[in-house]
Amino acid sequence: MGPEDGKMPGTSTPVPISTKLQRIANMARQAPDMVIRTLAHHIDADFLREAYGRTRKDGAAGIDGQTAADYAGNLEGNLSSLLGRFKSGRYRAPAVRRVHIPKGDGRTRPIGIPTFEDKVLQRAVVMVLEAVYEQDFLDCSYGFRPGRSAHDAVDALWRNLMAVGGGWVIDLDIQSFFDTLDREQLRGLLDLRVRDGVLRRTIGKWLRAGVMEAGVVSQPDAGTPQGGVISPLLANVYLHHVLDAWFERVVKPRLRGRAFLVRYADDAVIVCAREDDARRVMAVLPKRFGKYGLTLHPEKTRLICFSSPGAGRGAKVPTFDFLGFTHYWGQSRRGNWVVKKRTAAKRLRRSLKAINQWCRDHRHLGLAAQARQLGQKLRGHYEYYGVTTNSEGITRFYREVVARWRHWLSRRSQRGWVTWERMRRILAHHQLPRPRVAHRAYPLAANP
């Protein structure tokens, strides 16, 4: 694994961070069943500096109020102090600041915001653990992994759905996964691969750090706070064992037909070509998740017949949502049945609600400033939802944004209602980006 002082043998040149990570990855890949007991020595001053560089600087401050700019004011001193406390075991994980963000159904989702220094150390630990676990994770997992995205998961789902002609879809919904994750089970799963004492004690401190809300610190006995840098990796380790590896190595060999799994963090779908296989899997899932302290939502977890509409079978097939898209069967330009996707209704409503609120709160700004910021929001929407079969969805979003902007411009002065003729003149002078398909994952005329 190389010398612990971070130098190349026979030289005084520090080992590049990428080389360190590659050595860890090579060791993990060559010994997939080995329990690794020494990893923390790779985290040195250069490693922390790299972790700092990879940490977002525009995030909200934690309970100490320290921003990235504040931390950068004495960067070398802060990193040196952090490294010393981490190595000696004196590092104390501060409580995370909890905020609530609105969900599409009127409820809120709790998010934990660590301190900036905590984010840096979490990023360093994630870099080391990621080098190990990326050799173990399976291709069916896409969430929060390097080089993988939500669009990769959606595209993989499309390719496999087309290959099996749709099949039977198990739409999984884990109730409050990040809040109910069993920490003892997590520790046992981590023991299977990583037992470095320094890293494991630090992870334990993060799990026990507590949550501060309205000035009061609470100590949940389960879960890992959403928003923490390390939380997605711990979630992937957990669900790799609970679902991914179990499905690929235990379930699939016992099925009679083709089947596949696509998972993005705690969102997952299982597709079986045969109905009997799907019902068998559906029957054992609650027990499997219950073994690890997790619960499937009894109403949102459902089995759907999503077979391709054939000649004489009619075109009415149930739809399902995954990663913000509604997946449905439709005909291509050549008349072939293909799986298409459009913006999920809940996501569209949530996005428009946010736009409406923004226009209301910022109607006092000048037209140029409003147009510039609305343009950024539109481009972000197109970048995610602008897929081949969703041109109608992003066009509708554009029109609704214009309508809401017009509404709140009309309410900001005594000049009266902004007519559509006047709105067209505003748009001619302060243009908003038009709908754009950013992801052409497959041709509409594809022959399945």
Side-chain angles (χ1 to χ4, degrees):
M1 288 301 297
E4 295 193 7
D5 60 359
K7 306 292 182 62
M8 287 290 196
T11 76
S12 60
T13 304
V15 178
I17 304 303
S18 59
T19 302
K20 285 187 178 183
L21 295 176
Q22 189 58 53
R23 288 178 178 177
I24 299 171
N26 290 340
M27 177 188 67
R29 184 169 52 253
Q30 293 166 7
D33 298 322
M34 181 178 71
V35 176
I36 302 174
R37 300 178 184 273
T38 56
L39 284 172
H41 66 276
H42 292 287
I43 299 179
D44 54 17
D46 290 334
F47 205 96
L48 275 186
R49 202 172 293 113
E50 175 69 17
Y52 166 82
R54 297 188 187 188
T55 302
R56 284 184 55 183
K57 311 300 189 296
D58 58 350
I63 63 171
D64 61 355
Q66 187 179 51
T67 65
D70 297 334
Y71 198 80
N74 183 25
L75 181 60
E76 292 304 317
N78 286 331
L79 292 180
S80 176
S81 172
L82 176 60
L83 180 63
R85 284 177 283 135
F86 167 67
K87 294 284 191 179
S88 66
R90 292 182 292 109
Y91 182 78
R92 299 183 64 181
V96 299
R97 182 168 67 88
R98 173 168 285 177
V99 297
H100 294 266
I101 60 174
K103 297 175 66 175
D105 56 5
R107 297 180 299 167
T108 61
R109 181 190 302 275
I111 296 293
I113 303 176
T115 63
F116 183 78
E117 182 176 70
D118 216 21
K119 293 177 185 178
V120 173
L121 185 55
Q122 286 191 31
R123 176 59 61 193
V125 173
V126 165
M127 288 163 57
V128 171
L129 294 181
E130 202 170 62
V132 174
Y133 282 106
E134 275 300 307
Q135 317 314 311
D136 300 347
F137 291 158
L138 304 180
D139 286 341
C140 59
S141 166
Y142 290 86
F144 303 102
R145 294 182 57 189
R148 293 184 164 221
S149 68
H151 284 109
D152 293 328
V154 171
D155 291 344
L157 176 61
W158 178 82
R159 289 193 305 271
N160 284 286
L161 283 171
M162 293 299 295
V164 301
W168 289 76
V169 174
I170 301 175
D171 185 6
L172 287 172
D173 187 281
I174 307 173
Q175 290 194 116
S176 303
F177 170 72
F178 284 93
D179 293 329
T180 60
L181 180 150
D182 188 306
R183 295 175 183 174
E184 284 305 313
Q185 295 269 18
L186 174 62
R187 293 184 182 97
L189 296 176
L190 289 170
D191 281 343
L192 299 176
R193 196 61 159 130
V194 174
R195 294 188 190 174
D196 180 287
V198 176
L199 292 185
R200 292 295 302 277
R201 282 192 295 272
T202 305
I203 292 173
K205 291 176 182 180
W206 285 323
L207 292 174
R208 298 188 302 271
V211 175
M212 176 176 286
E213 188 170 5
V216 178
V217 176
S218 60
Q219 300 286 343
D221 56 6
T224 174
Q226 293 189 59
V229 176
I230 200 167
S231 294
L233 177 62
L234 297 180
N236 274 335
V237 171
Y238 205 81
L239 289 176
H240 167 76
H241 291 281
V242 174
L243 181 60
D244 303 353
W246 170 75
F247 180 77
E248 293 292 333
R249 297 164 186 169
V250 178
V251 175
K252 280 179 67 173
R254 291 171 167 79
L255 300 181
R256 300 175 64 186
R258 297 177 62 178
F260 66 91
L261 162 70
V262 177
R263 181 177 66 80
Y264 188 94
D266 59 333
D267 291 326
V269 292
I270 295 173
V271 180
C272 299
R274 295 172 57 99
E275 179 182 1
D276 57 344
D277 285 341
R279 294 194 180 280
R280 288 170 60 200
V281 175
M282 186 75 171
V284 299
L285 281 173
K287 183 177 179 181
R288 175 64 183 179
F289 279 84
K291 178 181 178 181
Y292 290 89
L294 301 175
T295 304
L296 294 178
H297 196 290
E299 297 175 358
K300 295 181 179 180
T301 298
R302 57 192 184 123
L303 177 61
I304 306 159
C305 178
F306 195 69
S307 297
S308 170
R313 295 174 57 190
K316 189 65 175 178
V317 175
T319 65
F320 69 95
D321 293 351
F322 182 61
L323 298 182
F325 291 99
T326 294
H327 300 260
Y328 67 101
W329 283 98
Q331 289 184 293
S332 71
R333 292 172 182 170
R334 293 183 179 179
N336 300 312
W337 287 105
V338 296
V339 177
K340 297 184 177 183
K341 47 187 178 282
R342 60 175 178 260
T343 310
K346 289 193 297 185
R347 291 292 186 93
L348 181 61
R349 287 194 299 269
R350 186 171 70 187
S351 297
L352 289 174
K353 183 178 179 180
I355 288 288
N356 188 73
Q357 188 64 45
W358 187 92
C359 290
R360 177 181 179 176
D361 294 343
H362 297 84
R363 62 185 187 272
H364 61 282
L365 297 178
L367 290 176
Q370 290 190 53
R372 182 169 56 254
Q373 294 191 50
L374 283 174
Q376 293 174 353
K377 297 177 186 299
L378 282 166
R379 278 187 286 270
H381 189 87
Y382 302 155
E383 187 62 31
Y384 188 80
Y385 292 103
V387 299
T388 301
T389 59
N390 196 32
S391 57
E392 182 178 335
I394 58 176
T395 299
R396 178 187 172 188
F397 184 75
Y398 169 82
R399 290 172 178 168
E400 294 283 356
V401 169
V402 170
R404 281 156 172 75
W405 191 25
R406 169 177 171 261
H407 172 82
W408 288 107
L409 288 178
S410 299
R411 300 285 297 273
R412 74 173 187 164
S413 71
Q414 302 299 319
R415 296 185 61 184
W417 196 258
V418 175
T419 65
W420 277 110
E421 179 59 34
R422 184 180 166 200
M423 192 66 199
R424 279 190 284 272
R425 292 196 299 271
I426 292 174
L427 290 172
H429 190 66
H430 303 285
Q431 295 183 5
L432 297 179
R434 303 290 297 184
R436 178 180 69 90
V437 174
H439 302 275
R440 299 187 180 276
Y442 53 90
L444 279 173
N447 186 340

